[in-house]
PDB file of all heavy atoms in Angstrom:
ATOM      1  N   GLN A  99     -33.883  31.031  28.450  1.00 73.00           N
ATOM      2  CA  GLN A  99     -34.016  30.529  29.908  1.00 73.00           C
ATOM      3  C   GLN A  99     -35.328  29.713  30.002  1.00 73.00           C
ATOM      4  O   GLN A  99     -36.332  30.106  29.277  1.00 73.00           O
ATOM      5  CB  GLN A  99     -34.051  31.870  30.788  1.00 73.00           C
ATOM      6  CG  GLN A  99     -32.789  32.494  30.938  1.00 73.00           C
ATOM      7  CD  GLN A  99     -32.916  33.735  31.788  1.00 73.00           C
ATOM      8  OE1 GLN A  99     -33.762  33.924  32.528  1.00 73.00           O
ATOM      9  NE2 GLN A  99     -31.824  34.565  31.770  1.00 73.00           N
ATOM     10  N   LYS A 151     -33.724  36.166  20.174  1.00 68.00           N
ATOM     11  CA  LYS A 151     -33.857  35.526  18.843  1.00 68.00           C
ATOM     12  C   LYS A 151     -33.053  36.017  17.773  1.00 68.00           C
ATOM     13  O   LYS A 151     -32.709  35.214  16.739  1.00 68.00           O
ATOM     14  CB  LYS A 151     -35.383  35.398  18.350  1.00 68.00           C
ATOM     15  CG  LYS A 151     -35.861  36.680  18.048  1.00 68.00           C
ATOM     16  CD  LYS A 151     -37.446  36.505  17.755  1.00 68.00           C
ATOM     17  CE  LYS A 151     -38.133  37.921  17.336  1.00 68.00           C
ATOM     18  NZ  LYS A 151     -39.490  37.652  17.017  1.00 68.00           N
ATOM     19  N   ILE A 173     -19.615  36.006  20.908  1.00 81.00           N
ATOM     20  CA  ILE A 173     -19.742  37.173  20.040  1.00 81.00           C
ATOM     21  C   ILE A 173     -20.867  37.969  20.418  1.00 81.00           C
ATOM     22  O   ILE A 173     -20.843  39.194  20.449  1.00 81.00           O
ATOM     23  CB  ILE A 173     -19.733  36.626  18.530  1.00 81.00           C
ATOM     24  CG1 ILE A 173     -18.446  36.161  18.175  1.00 81.00           C
ATOM     25  CG2 ILE A 173     -20.016  37.889  17.704  1.00 81.00           C
ATOM     26  CD1 ILE A 173     -18.400  35.408  16.772  1.00 81.00           C
ATOM     27  N   ASP A 206     -10.111  36.461   9.393  1.00 89.00           N
ATOM     28  CA  ASP A 206      -9.650  36.760   8.029  1.00 89.00           C
ATOM     29  C   ASP A 206     -10.382  35.781   7.155  1.00 89.00           C
ATOM     30  O   ASP A 206     -10.532  36.048   5.928  1.00 89.00           O
ATOM     31  CB  ASP A 206      -8.148  36.554   8.162  1.00 89.00           C
ATOM     32  CG  ASP A 206      -7.468  36.932   6.851  1.00 89.00           C
ATOM     33  OD1 ASP A 206      -7.916  37.968   6.343  1.00 89.00           O
ATOM     34  OD2 ASP A 206      -6.616  36.217   6.173  1.00 89.00           O
ATOM     35  N   ARG A 221      -6.884  44.887   5.052  1.00 92.00           N
ATOM     36  CA  ARG A 221      -6.641  43.617   5.597  1.00 92.00           C
ATOM     37  C   ARG A 221      -5.239  43.704   6.291  1.00 92.00           C
ATOM     38  O   ARG A 221      -5.138  43.113   7.482  1.00 92.00           O
ATOM     39  CB  ARG A 221      -6.644  42.563   4.547  1.00 92.00           C
ATOM     40  CG  ARG A 221      -6.211  41.168   4.968  1.00 92.00           C
ATOM     41  CD  ARG A 221      -6.303  39.998   3.865  1.00 92.00           C
ATOM     42  NE  ARG A 221      -6.061  38.738   4.333  1.00 92.00           N
ATOM     43  CZ  ARG A 221      -4.989  37.993   4.004  1.00 92.00           C
ATOM     44  NH1 ARG A 221      -4.165  38.442   3.068  1.00 92.00           N
ATOM     45  NH2 ARG A 221      -4.867  36.795   4.457  1.00 92.00           N
ATOM     46  N   VAL A 267       1.546  50.488   4.784  1.00 93.00           N
ATOM     47  CA  VAL A 267       0.469  50.411   5.692  1.00 93.00           C
ATOM     48  C   VAL A 267       0.915  50.835   7.176  1.00 93.00           C
ATOM     49  O   VAL A 267       0.077  51.541   7.769  1.00 93.00           O
ATOM     50  CB  VAL A 267      -0.083  48.789   5.908  1.00 93.00           C
ATOM     51  CG1 VAL A 267      -1.083  48.674   6.942  1.00 93.00           C
ATOM     52  CG2 VAL A 267      -0.644  48.401   4.500  1.00 93.00           C
ATOM     53  N   LEU A 298       4.830  58.006  32.710  1.00 97.00           N
ATOM     54  CA  LEU A 298       6.201  58.660  32.795  1.00 97.00           C
ATOM     55  C   LEU A 298       5.940  60.161  33.155  1.00 97.00           C
ATOM     56  O   LEU A 298       6.688  60.633  34.029  1.00 97.00           O
ATOM     57  CB  LEU A 298       6.876  58.424  31.493  1.00 97.00           C
ATOM     58  CG  LEU A 298       8.183  59.132  31.295  1.00 97.00           C
ATOM     59  CD1 LEU A 298       9.180  58.690  32.410  1.00 97.00           C
ATOM     60  CD2 LEU A 298       8.749  58.932  29.907  1.00 97.00           C
ATOM     61  N   LYS A 311       7.058  69.956  53.331  1.00 91.00           N
ATOM     62  CA  LYS A 311       7.825  70.286  54.603  1.00 91.00           C
ATOM     63  C   LYS A 311       8.146  69.038  55.365  1.00 91.00           C
ATOM     64  O   LYS A 311       7.467  68.126  55.415  1.00 91.00           O
ATOM     65  CB  LYS A 311       6.946  71.140  55.415  1.00 91.00           C
ATOM     66  CG  LYS A 311       6.712  72.613  54.790  1.00 91.00           C
ATOM     67  CD  LYS A 311       5.832  73.443  55.695  1.00 91.00           C
ATOM     68  CE  LYS A 311       5.529  74.867  55.180  1.00 91.00           C
ATOM     69  NZ  LYS A 311       4.617  75.642  56.077  1.00 91.00           N
ATOM     70  N   ASP A 316      13.175  66.038  64.788  1.00 93.00           N
ATOM     71  CA  ASP A 316      14.119  65.071  65.170  1.00 93.00           C
ATOM     72  C   ASP A 316      13.705  63.725  64.867  1.00 93.00           C
ATOM     73  O   ASP A 316      12.905  62.991  65.738  1.00 93.00           O
ATOM     74  CB  ASP A 316      14.446  65.232  66.741  1.00 93.00           C
ATOM     75  CG  ASP A 316      15.645  64.362  67.143  1.00 93.00           C
ATOM     76  OD1 ASP A 316      15.936  63.339  66.402  1.00 93.00           O
ATOM     77  OD2 ASP A 316      16.180  64.650  68.277  1.00 93.00           O
ATOM     78  N   GLU A 373       0.873  62.245  61.539  1.00 93.00           N
ATOM     79  CA  GLU A 373       1.131  63.398  62.329  1.00 93.00           C
ATOM     80  C   GLU A 373       0.743  64.699  61.637  1.00 93.00           C
ATOM     81  O   GLU A 373       0.489  65.709  62.212  1.00 93.00           O
ATOM     82  CB  GLU A 373       2.737  63.578  62.504  1.00 93.00           C
ATOM     83  CG  GLU A 373       3.384  62.414  63.259  1.00 93.00           C
ATOM     84  CD  GLU A 373       3.131  62.486  64.847  1.00 93.00           C
ATOM     85  OE1 GLU A 373       2.847  63.623  65.292  1.00 93.00           O
ATOM     86  OE2 GLU A 373       3.123  61.362  65.462  1.00 93.00           O
ATOM     87  N   LYS A 422      -5.213  62.113  51.063  1.00 97.00           N
ATOM     88  CA  LYS A 422      -3.860  62.919  51.086  1.00 97.00           C
ATOM     89  C   LYS A 422      -2.706  61.977  51.056  1.00 97.00           C
ATOM     90  O   LYS A 422      -1.597  62.423  50.679  1.00 97.00           O
ATOM     91  CB  LYS A 422      -3.862  63.673  52.392  1.00 97.00           C
ATOM     92  CG  LYS A 422      -4.919  64.929  52.326  1.00 97.00           C
ATOM     93  CD  LYS A 422      -4.990  65.817  53.609  1.00 97.00           C
ATOM     94  CE  LYS A 422      -6.056  66.903  53.443  1.00 97.00           C
ATOM     95  NZ  LYS A 422      -6.016  67.722  54.665  1.00 97.00           N
ATOM     96  N   ASP A 470      10.483  48.879  35.867  1.00 96.00           N
ATOM     97  CA  ASP A 470      10.863  50.030  35.126  1.00 96.00           C
ATOM     98  C   ASP A 470      11.084  51.248  36.125  1.00 96.00           C
ATOM     99  O   ASP A 470      12.110  52.000  35.825  1.00 96.00           O
ATOM    100  CB  ASP A 470       9.923  50.335  34.046  1.00 96.00           C
ATOM    101  CG  ASP A 470      10.012  49.542  32.819  1.00 96.00           C
ATOM    102  OD1 ASP A 470      11.051  48.741  32.607  1.00 96.00           O
ATOM    103  OD2 ASP A 470       9.114  49.472  32.016  1.00 96.00           O
ATOM    104  N   ILE A 472      11.894  51.283  39.081  1.00 96.00           N
ATOM    105  CA  ILE A 472      13.158  51.053  39.978  1.00 96.00           C
ATOM    106  C   ILE A 472      14.416  51.091  38.981  1.00 96.00           C
ATOM    107  O   ILE A 472      15.345  51.929  39.348  1.00 96.00           O
ATOM    108  CB  ILE A 472      13.284  49.638  40.598  1.00 96.00           C
ATOM    109  CG1 ILE A 472      12.115  49.401  41.597  1.00 96.00           C
ATOM    110  CG2 ILE A 472      14.512  49.263  41.189  1.00 96.00           C
ATOM    111  CD1 ILE A 472      11.825  47.932  41.902  1.00 96.00           C
ATOM    112  N   ILE A 501      15.980  30.703  46.464  1.00 94.00           N
ATOM    113  CA  ILE A 501      15.460  30.538  45.074  1.00 94.00           C
ATOM    114  C   ILE A 501      15.584  31.713  44.246  1.00 94.00           C
ATOM    115  O   ILE A 501      15.845  31.665  42.988  1.00 94.00           O
ATOM    116  CB  ILE A 501      14.115  29.947  45.140  1.00 94.00           C
ATOM    117  CG1 ILE A 501      14.123  28.463  45.840  1.00 94.00           C
ATOM    118  CG2 ILE A 501      13.490  29.819  43.751  1.00 94.00           C
ATOM    119  CD1 ILE A 501      12.816  27.824  46.192  1.00 94.00           C
ATOM    120  N   ILE A 519       7.963  16.832  50.444  1.00 96.00           N
ATOM    121  CA  ILE A 519       7.572  15.465  50.351  1.00 96.00           C
ATOM    122  C   ILE A 519       8.091  14.875  49.061  1.00 96.00           C
ATOM    123  O   ILE A 519       7.647  15.073  47.978  1.00 96.00           O
ATOM    124  CB  ILE A 519       6.055  15.442  50.408  1.00 96.00           C
ATOM    125  CG1 ILE A 519       5.562  15.859  51.782  1.00 96.00           C
ATOM    126  CG2 ILE A 519       5.623  13.814  50.352  1.00 96.00           C
ATOM    127  CD1 ILE A 519       4.036  15.948  51.843  1.00 96.00           C
ATOM    128  N   LEU A 533      15.390   3.908  28.240  1.00 84.00           N
ATOM    129  CA  LEU A 533      13.981   3.701  27.850  1.00 84.00           C
ATOM    130  C   LEU A 533      13.649   4.408  26.536  1.00 84.00           C
ATOM    131  O   LEU A 533      14.172   5.361  26.166  1.00 84.00           O
ATOM    132  CB  LEU A 533      13.104   4.176  29.034  1.00 84.00           C
ATOM    133  CG  LEU A 533      13.164   3.400  30.258  1.00 84.00           C
ATOM    134  CD1 LEU A 533      12.315   4.101  31.402  1.00 84.00           C
ATOM    135  CD2 LEU A 533      12.856   1.926  30.112  1.00 84.00           C
ATOM    136  N   PHE A 654     -14.375  41.281  39.147  1.00 85.00           N
ATOM    137  CA  PHE A 654     -13.067  41.191  38.477  1.00 85.00           C
ATOM    138  C   PHE A 654     -12.416  39.956  38.556  1.00 85.00           C
ATOM    139  O   PHE A 654     -12.619  39.050  39.375  1.00 85.00           O
ATOM    140  CB  PHE A 654     -12.095  42.345  39.215  1.00 85.00           C
ATOM    141  CG  PHE A 654     -12.548  43.695  39.122  1.00 85.00           C
ATOM    142  CD1 PHE A 654     -13.278  44.335  40.126  1.00 85.00           C
ATOM    143  CD2 PHE A 654     -12.393  44.460  37.978  1.00 85.00           C
ATOM    144  CE1 PHE A 654     -13.821  45.550  39.889  1.00 85.00           C
ATOM    145  CE2 PHE A 654     -12.839  45.737  37.888  1.00 85.00           C
ATOM    146  CZ  PHE A 654     -13.551  46.270  38.822  1.00 85.00           C
ATOM    147  N   ILE A 672     -25.495  31.366  42.697  1.00 95.00           N
ATOM    148  CA  ILE A 672     -25.303  32.496  43.499  1.00 95.00           C
ATOM    149  C   ILE A 672     -24.085  32.278  44.246  1.00 95.00           C
ATOM    150  O   ILE A 672     -23.821  31.327  45.026  1.00 95.00           O
ATOM    151  CB  ILE A 672     -26.458  32.780  44.427  1.00 95.00           C
ATOM    152  CG1 ILE A 672     -27.840  32.809  43.592  1.00 95.00           C
ATOM    153  CG2 ILE A 672     -26.388  33.965  45.302  1.00 95.00           C
ATOM    154  CD1 ILE A 672     -29.101  32.796  44.339  1.00 95.00           C
ATOM    155  N   TYR A 675     -18.908  36.776  47.537  1.00 94.00           N
ATOM    156  CA  TYR A 675     -17.361  37.160  47.635  1.00 94.00           C
ATOM    157  C   TYR A 675     -17.288  37.901  48.939  1.00 94.00           C
ATOM    158  O   TYR A 675     -17.472  39.167  48.934  1.00 94.00           O
ATOM    159  CB  TYR A 675     -17.143  38.106  46.378  1.00 94.00           C
ATOM    160  CG  TYR A 675     -17.180  37.249  45.115  1.00 94.00           C
ATOM    161  CD1 TYR A 675     -18.260  37.278  44.291  1.00 94.00           C
ATOM    162  CD2 TYR A 675     -16.082  36.465  44.745  1.00 94.00           C
ATOM    163  CE1 TYR A 675     -18.352  36.669  43.118  1.00 94.00           C
ATOM    164  CE2 TYR A 675     -16.162  35.678  43.519  1.00 94.00           C
ATOM    165  CZ  TYR A 675     -17.242  35.838  42.807  1.00 94.00           C
ATOM    166  OH  TYR A 675     -17.314  35.104  41.595  1.00 94.00           O
TER     167      TYR A 675
END
Side-chain angles (χ1 to χ4, degrees):
Q99 293 182 12
K151 66 181 178 182
I173 291 164
D206 191 44
R221 178 179 183 238
V267 173
L298 178 59
K311 290 181 181 179
D316 191 337
E373 298 287 332
K422 293 178 181 175
D470 283 342
I472 297 167
I501 291 168
I519 300 172
L533 296 177
F654 296 99
I672 303 172
Y675 294 99

